[in-house]
Amino acid sequence: MSTGFSAEAEDFGRTVADVLADLWGDATAAPDGDLARLWKTAAAQGWFELASERALDFLVAAVRELGRRACPLPVVDAYVAGLLLGADHAERVASGRLRPVVAVVDDPGTDTADHCEAAPHATHVLLVHPGSGRVRLAPISRVEPTPGLAVPAWSRVGVAEPETELRAEAALIDDALAVWTLGLAVRALGAAGRGHELAVAHAATREQFGRVIGGFGAVQQRVAACHIEVGAAEALVKDAVGHGLAESGEWTLAAALAVRYVGDTATSVMFGAQHTLGAIGFFEEHEAAWLFRRVHADVARLRAAARHATGVSRALVEQGRSLPSFHLGEAAEEFRSRIRALLAEHRVVDGHGRQDHDRERLRAAMAERGLFSLGWPVEEGGREAGVAEQAVLNEEMKYARGPVDRAMSAAMLLGHSILKHGTPEQKAEFLPLIRRGEMRFCLGYSEPEAGSDLASLRTGAVRDGDHWVVNGQKSWTTRAHTASHVWLAVRTDPDAVPRHAGITIFLVPMDTPGITVQRHTALSGEVSCTVFYDDVRVPDSARVGEVNGGWRVITDALAAERVVMGGVAATLLRQLDDLLEHLRTDPERMLGADGSGKRERLESLAARLQAARALVLEATRAMAGGGGSDLAAPMAGVLGGELAEDFGQGVLELLGPDAALGADVPRAPGGGVFERALRTSPMFVIGGGTNDIQRAIVARGLGLPREERAARGRGAGCGPR
């Protein structure tokens, strides 16, 4: 499958941008831009020939630029006409002699179309009735402008007797509607994205109260949230284009998910941009005002048209389809097949008739195949696998509900750091344990006053000959009560500046005298502990890395942990599949008819999950050096964490009180997994660096200044551990 836009398509988009800059200008040209002249130039440059080449990526690249300038040139309508009418009309459309606009209608015999764009410059309307497959190309007989939100104004259009009439197959209608709605979504996204760019630039330079406003936490959070929505939508569009170019059976569903996500988010992004731009973007003749009109007008038409296109809920529930897959390359996907086969080989059924895994046999099989040391150097017993294969392994294990979660975490966090910073003795002692999946560790990072702000940790270690004496307290330490060792971050220089410079890492046996474990039951039901360190003597040989050099060890471990960031999306995909399995037993009773609130809720959740998966793919490619933004990882983390909470709540809304029943109740949907998932979901937002911190990282990546009150040691983004 194509990964989206070709280099040639991107070049074409830049050419379109250059032409628009000369003949249209920016979004402020919307009230009086010369659309007729632009239409003529576009025809001369081949913009209306794209359908004959099935150049979907070229089309989307062009429409994105049109949206950024609030220009309604109907290149998508010409593309749809090419799909439905074929070669008979292609030359006339390409030359600009036939200038069609598309109207999706409810009445197959109507001679009137509402909300048409560019109608004063068009020659024909292509009337499409999805239910019957009836397609009519009719000359325009009258144009009645209907001023309002859209600028240039929409029109009510009357048509004469059809020049051409045909019945299109359902698959062709679906394809055409997928293109048309995706085009509307891309144009709205282009406009919203441009508004967001203007807001970011404004936030980086505008001063209020003696400071650049981008340094205020509220502005940073808003800007970052908008950037995440724009980035996720762009990733979904890229995925839909890739499926379309490959003529995949998943194409119309991939497009529908992108359309749904843009419809849900583009207007909020534009509102966010307006809020950041403030009075400048509201009272002045600013681009944002015209972009605002374009975004909201396009989304209004999009929502009206999307009901005729492939229904996400119908596809997932009644048709039994799954979310379209993402491909990390042939080698990684072949590896995925082998991991799935391995999991299937060790699948068992528990006492309640639910599927589980023989964890001990699976762990041994994975160790035998070198899967816990997958990315390690060969000389250390590894396989030197790339990021893509490591990501696949993590995703598949998370989808299987973490049958070897602890061993995987040890490999990612401890293994990577010991390889890079450990002594020969530490490597000899711990790497074999990690390779076998037998390293039972806990993470001693968080403290009562140091969660996300890890550089504020107070647990101290004082040198005493060949030992260190540790005193302090660690909080929220999951699995401390069953751990053999703790990966412990302590302060060894209380006067260090900056503060993170005085931290050191030790790997300490949990049975060392002076360590006391106090158990607590977390909201999720798992045991998390407070661990007290009272005059704990730790040999210097337990130190990992340099004295006061622990921050580098921590950040290297977190860099390795980014490989597993796709685990949240994989976990949610499993929850969605479980939900769909239940809904398919009686969809009409549980969801109602098309357009019902429950179906809308399901579609939004599915689209957001696909967006999170698309960002994970972007992040994985960035880590593997295959392009993509370095910000994709924190963006995926924020989107996935917030979705986890909303998904848990959404399942209760969809299934009712039964979804709140636990695993011991036989009639509980999904064997009680949904209520446990809801209780676990807040951890996806607060663990490993809260979403607030991750959004601050995104904001700084966009060039906004560090917030003064948030500047203290948050770079590592370490939340409860």
Side-chain angles (χ1 to χ4, degrees):
M1 184 192 74
S2 168
T3 57
F5 296 93
S6 64
E8 294 81 4
E10 295 288 5
D11 288 341
F12 180 69
R14 284 186 282 271
T15 298
V16 171
D18 291 341
V19 172
L20 291 171
D22 289 339
L23 300 184
W24 182 265
D26 60 27
T28 60
D32 50 14
D34 192 343
L35 197 59
R37 181 186 176 200
L38 179 60
W39 204 320
K40 182 177 180 180
T41 302
Q45 295 203 3
W47 297 10
F48 300 116
E49 301 175 13
L50 301 177
S52 61
E53 302 294 331
R54 293 298 190 267
L56 183 61
D57 53 344
F58 280 68
L59 176 69
V60 169
V63 174
R64 181 174 57 194
E65 296 302 326
L66 291 167
R68 289 171 58 81
R69 290 160 178 80
C71 177
L73 184 70
V75 293
V76 176
D77 301 56
Y79 193 103
V80 170
L83 290 178
L84 293 175
L85 300 176
D88 293 345
H89 299 81
E91 191 278 329
R92 292 172 62 203
V93 172
S95 67
R97 289 182 289 118
L98 172 58
R99 299 187 296 278
V101 293
V102 171
V104 181
V105 296
D106 294 319
D107 178 1
T110 185
D111 61 359
T112 303
D114 284 316
H115 314 132
C116 293
E117 287 193 311
H121 309 285
T123 61
H124 292 70
V125 176
L126 187 67
L127 298 144
V128 181
H129 183 251
S132 65
R134 188 179 180 188
V135 177
R136 292 178 293 147
L137 180 68
I140 293 175
S141 60
R142 71 180 188 279
V143 176
E144 175 190 341
T146 52
L149 185 65
V151 177
W154 292 334
S155 299
R156 167 171 279 191
V157 175
V159 300
E161 286 299 312
E163 178 183 305
T164 300
E165 186 169 351
L166 56 88
R167 296 273 182 176
E169 294 182 358
L172 181 58
I173 292 289
D174 287 346
D175 195 29
L177 288 178
V179 171
W180 198 57
T181 53
L182 183 64
L184 275 174
V186 169
R187 193 169 67 185
L189 177 60
R194 174 59 181 162
H196 171 63
E197 286 179 11
L198 294 168
V200 172
H202 182 77
T205 56
R206 173 72 166 172
E207 291 190 6
Q208 293 281 275
F209 304 102
R211 295 176 56 190
V212 173
I213 65 170
F216 292 105
V219 175
Q220 288 192 354
Q221 293 289 306
R222 179 171 62 240
V223 167
C226 290
H227 192 75
I228 291 166
E229 300 288 21
V230 170
E234 289 176 344
L236 271 183
V237 168
K238 183 185 296 185
D239 177 62
V241 170
H243 280 95
L245 293 175
E247 297 184 355
S248 163
E250 296 181 325
W251 139 248
T252 54
L253 179 54
L257 288 162
V259 167
R260 179 79 213 195
Y261 190 81
V262 172
D264 286 347
T265 59
T267 53
S268 62
V269 169
M270 195 64 231
F271 273 121
Q274 292 282 174
H275 298 164
T276 300
L277 289 163
I280 289 174
F282 186 85
F283 289 106
E284 300 182 9
E285 287 288 322
H286 194 280
E287 283 183 64
W290 306 105
L291 294 166
F292 182 94
R293 289 172 173 268
R294 173 53 47 201
V295 171
H296 286 267
D298 279 353
V299 168
R301 293 180 76 211
L302 176 67
R303 286 176 173 156
R307 62 191 173 90
H308 295 290
T310 296
V312 171
S313 66
R314 287 280 170 185
L316 295 176
V317 180
E318 279 82 356
Q319 298 175 20
R321 297 168 67 182
S322 301
L323 290 184
S325 58
F326 292 93
H327 294 269
L328 288 169
E330 293 302 321
E333 295 308 319
E334 191 277 331
F335 179 67
R336 187 188 303 276
S337 297
R338 285 189 276 129
I339 295 302
R340 288 179 176 176
L342 179 66
L343 285 164
E345 181 184 342
H346 294 87
R347 193 169 293 139
V348 295
V349 177
D350 67 15
H352 299 281
R354 296 185 294 260
Q355 288 189 352
D356 201 348
H357 293 86
D358 186 326
R359 295 168 188 248
E360 184 55 31
R361 287 181 57 237
L362 176 62
R363 181 203 57 75
M366 291 179 67
E368 181 181 353
R369 290 164 174 79
L371 295 179
F372 295 121
S373 54
L374 192 63
W376 296 5
V378 172
E379 58 270 21
E380 298 291 355
R383 294 171 50 173
E384 292 187 342
V387 170
E389 288 178 88
Q390 295 176 61
V392 162
L393 178 62
N394 177 68
E395 288 172 2
E396 293 302 320
M397 291 298 150
K398 287 295 186 181
Y399 186 85
R401 293 210 163 89
V404 288
D405 188 60
R406 192 176 208 171
M408 293 284 294
S409 296
M412 287 294 178
L413 287 170
L414 274 62
H416 179 83
S417 293
I418 291 171
L419 280 170
K420 193 165 185 178
H421 301 284
T423 64
E425 293 77 14
Q426 289 168 343
K427 292 179 181 179
E429 180 178 0
F430 295 111
L431 292 184
L433 282 173
I434 295 172
R435 279 198 303 268
R436 296 195 301 269
E438 296 175 352
M439 183 68 187
R440 295 181 296 109
F441 84 105
C442 61
L443 204 56
Y445 280 178
S446 296
E447 300 180 5
E449 303 300 325
S452 293
D453 188 9
L454 183 58
S456 295
L457 67 84
R458 298 178 181 178
T459 297
V462 177
R463 190 78 181 248
D464 183 14
D466 292 333
H467 284 71
W468 296 81
V469 180
V470 178
N471 282 281
Q473 175 183 336
K474 294 292 180 179
S475 301
W476 317 308
T477 307
T478 304
R479 296 171 176 159
H481 63 300
T482 60
S484 62
H485 290 75
V486 57
W487 183 259
L488 184 64
V490 297
R491 181 164 300 285
T492 46
D493 184 352
D495 301 318
V497 178
R499 290 170 306 145
H500 67 256
I503 293 173
T504 303
I505 295 294
F506 293 88
L507 187 54
V508 183
M510 285 294 290
D511 59 2
T512 304
I515 297 179
T516 304
V517 176
Q518 184 181 86
R519 302 187 190 188
H520 309 281
T521 301
L523 173 61
S524 62
E526 67 182 340
V527 174
S528 188
C529 305
T530 300
V531 183
F532 300 95
Y533 298 84
D534 298 304
D535 292 329
V536 178
R537 294 185 63 81
V538 178
D540 188 59
S541 60
R543 173 171 47 85
V544 181
E546 301 294 327
V547 174
N548 299 326
W551 198 255
R552 177 173 294 180
V553 181
I554 291 169
T555 54
D556 283 344
L558 289 172
E561 190 182 24
R562 287 185 180 181
V563 174
V564 308
M565 111 292 294
V568 177
T571 298
L572 292 174
L573 179 61
R574 176 58 183 271
Q575 291 180 31
L576 176 66
D577 286 347
D578 287 341
L579 173 62
L580 293 174
E581 182 179 355
H582 186 73
L583 292 173
R584 287 166 186 156
T585 61
D586 193 350
E588 294 304 319
R589 179 180 65 82
M590 287 187 273
L591 292 176
D594 288 345
S596 70
K598 286 190 173 183
R599 286 189 182 270
E600 293 284 306
R601 186 77 162 109
L602 175 63
E603 293 189 358
S604 290
L605 291 171
R608 288 173 65 194
L609 174 53
Q610 191 72 347
R613 297 175 72 211
L615 280 181
V616 168
L617 180 67
E618 294 283 311
T620 303
R621 286 176 175 157
M623 286 184 288
S629 169
D630 290 339
L631 295 179
M635 289 163 64
V638 171
L639 190 61
E642 292 177 348
L643 175 59
E645 293 185 338
D646 198 28
F647 195 97
Q649 183 179 354
V651 172
L652 288 182
E653 295 171 14
L654 292 170
L655 301 184
D658 274 359
L661 299 178
D664 293 333
V665 181
R667 74 172 188 273
V673 298
F674 298 122
E675 71 88 20
R676 171 68 183 269
L678 176 61
R679 288 187 286 109
T680 303
S681 63
M683 194 59 207
F684 291 126
V685 173
I686 62 177
T690 68
N691 277 11
D692 295 333
I693 301 303
Q694 298 303 315
R695 281 190 290 266
I697 292 171
V698 172
R700 292 201 295 274
L702 295 175
L704 301 188
R706 184 185 292 268
E707 184 188 11
E708 290 180 7
R709 287 174 298 173
R712 299 178 301 155
R714 288 179 171 176
C718 301
R721 299 286 186 175

